[in-house]
Amino acid sequence: MWDDEVDLVAVGAGPAGLACAIAAADADLDVIVARPPDSARPEPAGTAHGWLPRRDDPATAAYFEALGDELPVIEAPELAMRNAYTPGRVDTGRRAQVETFVGARLWDWAARCLGSPYGVMFTRVAYWPTVAMRTMGGSAIEVATLAEVTSGGRTLTAWLDELAADRNIEVTADSTLHRIVFGEDDRIAGVVLDTPDGPWAVRARVGVAVTADHVELSEMPLDPGGRISLVGQRAARFGRLEVLREVEPPES
């Protein structure tokens, strides 16, 4: 039933979707980006929260509603910028301190990602390699850095498009998500996209990254020195694009 097969399908117009494709390509994964037409606009408000898309397919609608049900949307319209550091050697001994898992942190993180035009949702918790870092406040984050901005003047959109072109990432224009395809074990097997040539069924071996169909971005030029990164939290399905500056770890 599949018309094509890749590792990752990134659907939507959000910059984090393109960033996911770039990070996946850097991990030697095959990727496709489905970019909707410029005329696309957000769906009317409904049971799905934030930028999670609404679709007529019952299984797809139920999937997005389950992810967004009762989840608040904390608006974060600007591109987040913060300092972070890579912790020292990790102690793997029996007396090593284990990071406390707090579900409320994932709840708050998902709400902030859903309220940001730079947010993204993954259909799998484990995807491509990330590096464990900490914010200056001590919070643990998982980071996939795309590249460092070496010169100023370019906008985020132009910068991401350049990175994608350098990696020969296939971007299909005028393509929107029609429905998610679930396998026999209820895991997501792929998607069906609406394209100018008709439905296109694409199997996603690793998973699907979903962003908004249309986003309003602040297109201020990027400053040199920042590392454009996908940021998530361990066990979280949601992430967002941020500008990180790596700093020295605080003295213990």
Side-chain angles (χ1 to χ4, degrees):
M1 66 170 285
W2 302 110
D3 299 314
D4 210 335
E5 182 175 336
V6 294
D7 293 311
L8 173 78
V9 181
V11 298
L18 187 55
C20 287
I22 294 167
D26 287 345
D28 294 326
L29 301 181
D30 297 326
V31 300
I32 284 177
V33 177
R35 180 172 286 170
D38 292 339
S39 59
R41 288 294 182 269
E43 296 285 347
T47 52
H49 289 255
W51 42 256
L52 285 175
R54 296 182 64 204
R55 293 297 178 260
D56 293 334
D57 176 65
T60 303
Y63 178 77
F64 287 130
E65 288 169 9
L67 288 172
D69 188 34
E70 299 182 0
L71 194 66
V73 175
I74 302 175
E75 295 214 2
E78 301 302 323
L79 184 62
M81 301 182 185
R82 55 177 161 173
N83 296 331
Y85 62 91
T86 303
R89 184 179 63 85
V90 178
D91 184 0
T92 58
R94 294 181 59 185
R95 301 192 179 199
Q97 182 178 359
V98 178
E99 185 80 26
T100 302
F101 178 81
V102 181
R105 292 178 185 167
L106 296 186
W107 178 275
D108 179 74
W109 174 248
R112 293 183 184 278
C113 292
L114 278 175
S116 168
Y118 304 95
V120 62
M121 187 214 78
F122 308 108
T123 58
R124 285 181 57 182
V125 172
Y127 38 103
W128 45 85
T130 57
V131 175
M133 299 186 71
R134 286 189 179 275
T135 67
M136 293 304 291
S139 299
I141 55 177
E142 298 291 322
V143 178
T145 297
L146 306 185
E148 182 174 332
V149 180
T150 57
S151 60
R154 288 176 297 174
T155 65
L156 177 64
T157 299
W159 192 81
L160 289 172
D161 285 342
E162 182 178 315
L163 290 186
D166 288 343
R167 290 156 178 77
N168 296 316
I169 292 175
E170 180 180 355
V171 179
T172 62
D174 300 337
S175 301
T176 56
L177 176 67
H178 174 68
R179 66 183 177 93
I180 293 173
V181 180
F182 296 88
E184 294 181 357
D185 55 0
D186 289 332
R187 293 186 179 183
I188 291 176
V191 295
V192 176
L193 303 172
D194 285 327
T195 76
D197 297 324
W200 184 27
V202 184
R203 183 186 177 202
R205 292 184 292 261
V206 171
V208 181
V210 180
T211 60
D213 282 350
H214 175 78
V215 292
E216 297 287 350
L217 299 179
S218 173
E219 286 287 36
M220 295 291 292
L222 297 172
D223 293 327
R227 297 185 178 185
I228 310 299
S229 307
L230 278 169
V231 178
Q233 294 191 359
R234 188 175 298 277
R237 290 187 180 274
F238 290 90
R240 69 182 184 187
L241 203 59
E242 297 187 8
V243 180
L244 295 183
R245 291 184 180 273
E246 188 161 4
V247 296
E248 292 294 324
E251 295 183 4
S252 56

